[in-house]
Amino acid sequence: ADLRKADLRGCDLSYAILAGADLTDACLAGADLNSAIYDEKTCWPPGFDARQAGAILITRRRRRWWQLW
């Protein structure tokens, strides 16, 4: 998904599937990313720490399990 420069302030993105999303320069201030899923192709704003925000990295190996779930 192309979410570049999107204003996502205060949005509830908990449990969202952000795998492959481009969030470059998106405003994520106050956004709830608890348990959101992202992968190595997800692009975050510079300096943004997805893990600290509560998002979960799904690696290629874990992705196979997740797709079965």
Side-chain angles (χ1 to χ4, degrees), residues 23-47:
L23 294 150
T24 305
D25 296 324
C27 181
L28 296 170
D32 181 1
L33 289 159
N34 185 44
S35 298
I37 302 296
Y38 72 100
D39 64 6
E40 62 278 352
K41 294 181 182 178
T42 305
C43 296
W44 298 100

Side-chain angles (χ1 to χ4, degrees), residues 15-68:
Y15 299 97
I17 299 172
L18 299 172
D22 186 351
L23 294 150
T24 305
D25 296 324
C27 181
L28 296 170
D32 181 1
L33 289 159
N34 185 44
S35 298
I37 302 296
Y38 72 100
D39 64 6
E40 62 278 352
K41 294 181 182 178
T42 305
C43 296
W44 298 100
F48 185 78
D49 187 341
R51 180 188 266 172
Q52 186 176 5
I56 301 169
L57 174 63
I58 296 296
T59 60
R60 191 174 295 215
R61 182 177 177 180
R62 289 178 65 192
R63 189 177 305 134
R64 284 190 213 123
W65 173 84
W66 178 71
Q67 288 173 336
L68 296 173

